[in-house]
Amino acid sequence: MHTNSVIIIKSPREIEQLKKSNTIVAEVFRELKKMVVPGMTTQELDRMAEKIIFSKSAIPAFKGYRNYPATLCVSINEEVVHGIPGPRKLREGDIVSIDVGVNLNGYFGDAAITLPVGEVDKAAKRLLGVTEKALQIGIETARAGNRLHDISHAIQKWVEAKGFSVVREFVGHGIGKNLHEEPQVPNFGSPGQGPRLEKGMVFALEPMVNEGSYEVKILSDGWTVVTADGKRSAHFEHTIAITDGKAEILSIF
Ligand code: MF3
Ligand code: CO
């Protein structure tokens, strides 16, 4: 998986392009956050995201990718990732993961958040908090000179210390002129392993955290990933660039 992988180093100019694309991703979230209320359908979220992306002269990155049919991935409760938007309505107490990808002038942006719908139970709040913090810890560990799996290990250690598990079958990734580039960025692993991080590398870090076991399965639609035990899952993702100091988060304003 990691030997022989070519990690493309981006120039400052390319990182500026990636920041533009990822800023659109952040703008989509700013609008969608207001729409995550009971009764909203997941396809209404999808339409709004697509409208915003096209209004910025960008194109949705997921639609058509391996025949994926929508702009967003919207994954509710026990759905981990890659839920397909449709007529399903959000309900009070649900947690909903929204993943957005954007292509602006050939440069890609990718991020995800999990939001509560109305009031959610304490365990759900804890799951969201632990997963968002897992992403933060991953970002803090993403420093030039560290190794890739230092990130993976830091995320896993934090999540498991909180009694949750990290999904194994889906991982983060390099990103640039393609949505998915080398390397894979697992959310589990051993410290001191993997390639050394260098300034100009750009990654989408995306911990997927399950309340129960880490095992997942794919539904018959061919996309929707759900937990094998039916317990809930959360997902946070940012696109980040390795610098001389702290990693720069590209998918925020
Ligand atoms: N953020 C996810 C990923 O990096 C979303 C991909 S959905 C797909 O894999 F449709 F594009 F596959
Ligand atoms: Co991604």
Side-chain angles (χ1 to χ4, degrees), residues 1-2 5 7 138 141-155 171-174 181-198 201-205 240 242:
M1 175 159 68
H2 302 285
S5 67
I7 303 175
T141 313
R143 283 176 168 268
N146 283 352
R147 286 180 180 268
L148 187 72
H149 289 195
D150 293 337
I151 300 172
S152 312
H153 176 76
I155 292 171
V171 296
H173 49 95
E181 293 181 357
E182 292 295 324
Q184 293 192 28
V185 187
N187 298 300
F188 58 96
S190 309
Q193 303 289 310
R196 208 170 279 287
L197 303 179
E198 289 173 39
M201 290 179 174
V202 179
F203 303 128
L205 301 189
I240 65 162
I242 305 298

Side-chain angles (χ1 to χ4, degrees), residues 81-166:
V81 286
H82 302 171
I84 301 172
R88 180 171 176 181
K89 287 185 163 82
L90 302 179
R91 290 165 35 162
E92 178 95 20
D94 284 344
I95 58 169
V96 58
S97 303
I98 304 175
D99 195 339
V100 189
V102 164
N103 171 354
L104 179 70
N105 303 324
Y107 290 88
F108 284 80
D110 188 6
I113 54 174
T114 304
L115 297 168
V117 182
E119 258 316 297
V120 300
D121 62 48
K122 248 177 104 178
K125 285 180 189 159
R126 195 167 155 267
L127 177 66
L128 301 195
V130 167
T131 309
E132 189 166 21
K133 183 78 191 284
L135 174 57
Q136 277 175 31
I137 287 170
I139 295 169
E140 281 160 23
T141 313
R143 283 176 168 268
N146 283 352
R147 286 180 180 268
L148 187 72
H149 289 195
D150 293 337
I151 300 172
S152 312
H153 176 76
I155 292 171
Q156 180 179 22
K157 198 173 148 209
W158 162 256
V159 168
E160 292 181 352
K162 295 295 171 183
F164 296 136
S165 65
V166 288

Side-chain angles (χ1 to χ4, degrees), residues 61-70 72-73 81-82 99-101 110-112 170-173 179-180 204 206 223 235 237:
F62 299 164
K63 206 172 207 172
Y65 181 87
R66 299 189 180 185
N67 290 323
Y68 186 74
L72 299 179
C73 299
V81 286
H82 302 171
D99 195 339
V100 189
D110 188 6
F170 296 86
V171 296
H173 49 95
L179 177 62
H180 294 142
E206 49 180 318
W223 279 104
H235 178 213
E237 176 177 24

Side-chain angles (χ1 to χ4, degrees), residues 69-85:
T71 292
L72 299 179
C73 299
V74 183
S75 311
I76 300 170
N77 297 334
E78 79 288 354
E79 297 173 353
V80 180
V81 286
H82 302 171
I84 301 172

